[in-house]
Every structure is written in structure tokens, then in C-alpha cells.
Amino acid sequence: QVQLVESGGGLVQPGGSLRLSCAASGTIFSINAMGWYRQTPGKQRELVATITSGGTTNYADSVKGRFTISRDNAKNTVYLQMNTLKPEDTAVYYCNADGVRLRSWGARYDYWGQGTQVTVSS
């Protein structure tokens, strides 16, 4: 079984920066893609950014130019560098690992982290 361990959330002032990390632990052969999603009360969880094992990235329009996603394939870790943070970025951020293989011949599964709170406020 795979677990996603998140870190880096917290309180930051508007215009500030924060860096989130998420490491996938367990017996893992490969991961197709990793990403970050966020959710606020009463709203559906939305995509923030994703990155494939090949380095292809995708960003929500609301964070383009401010957030940068990166990945260390050797460590099965994904990062989200968040700059010029705005109050509307406040949410619970969830790490996702898509298409996880435990063996080269095995099936693929999806995993989610427990979420980390990011609060942007003065």
C-alpha cells in the first residue's frame, strides 16, 4: 500500500511564498503523474497543477505564472512552489499520485494525501 506524506502548509501573508512537498512512500515501481488539488468549504475539489513522469505540466488558469510544480522521480516526490499568494488561494491542498504501479506487471492505482491547510491572510 502507498501513502502520500504532505508538508509545507501553513499561514502566510498576501504576496508571500510557500512551498509544498509530497512524498509517496511504499513499494512503488512507477507513477504516471503527480499533482496538487485544493478545496474550500462548499466547493468541489479543483485541480491546481499536475506533472507527468516525463515532466509535462498543467496548471489551473488561476495559478499560472505564480505557482510552479516540479517532481523528483527518484524520490517519488512532488513539489509546489507558490509565489505571490492571494487570499483566494486559501484552501486545503491535496496531493495526488495517479497511475501508481507496485510492480512492472501490476495494476495501476490512484492515491490521495490527507490534505494540508494553506491560509493566506494578513
Side-chain angles (χ1 to χ4, degrees):
Q1 186 78 349
V2 174
Q3 288 187 315
L4 303 183
V5 182
E6 303 162 325
S7 63
L11 175 65
V12 65
Q13 294 185 348
S17 298
L18 209 59
R19 183 178 176 85
L20 304 183
S21 299
C22 174
S25 63
T27 302
I28 300 172
F29 176 76
S30 65
I31 302 175
N32 180 56
M34 299 185 75
W36 293 93
Y37 296 72
R38 65 187 182 187
Q39 187 171 21
T40 56
K43 188 178 180 180
Q44 193 173 51
R45 187 176 299 183
E46 65 177 358
L47 181 147
V48 177
T50 61
I51 184 169
T52 68
S53 60
T56 301
T57 58
N58 183 42
Y59 296 92
D61 289 339
S62 60
V63 306
K64 286 182 178 178
R66 299 189 298 118
F67 291 9
T68 302
I69 190 170
S70 60
R71 179 177 178 178
D72 186 336
N73 290 333
K75 297 181 179 180
N76 290 321
T77 301
V78 65
Y79 307 92
L80 185 67
Q81 179 66 46
M82 303 183 291
N83 298 326
T84 319
L85 283 162
K86 305 175 181 179
E88 48 264 46
D89 293 319
T90 296
V92 177
Y93 284 70
Y94 296 89
C95 178
N96 170 257
D98 177 76
V100 180
R101 286 180 179 267
L102 279 63
R103 299 287 189 274
S104 62
W105 43 262
R108 292 175 291 179
Y109 301 93
D110 298 333
Y111 296 91
W112 290 91
Q114 293 185 342
T116 183
Q117 178 70 48
V118 172
T119 302
V120 185
S121 176
S122 298

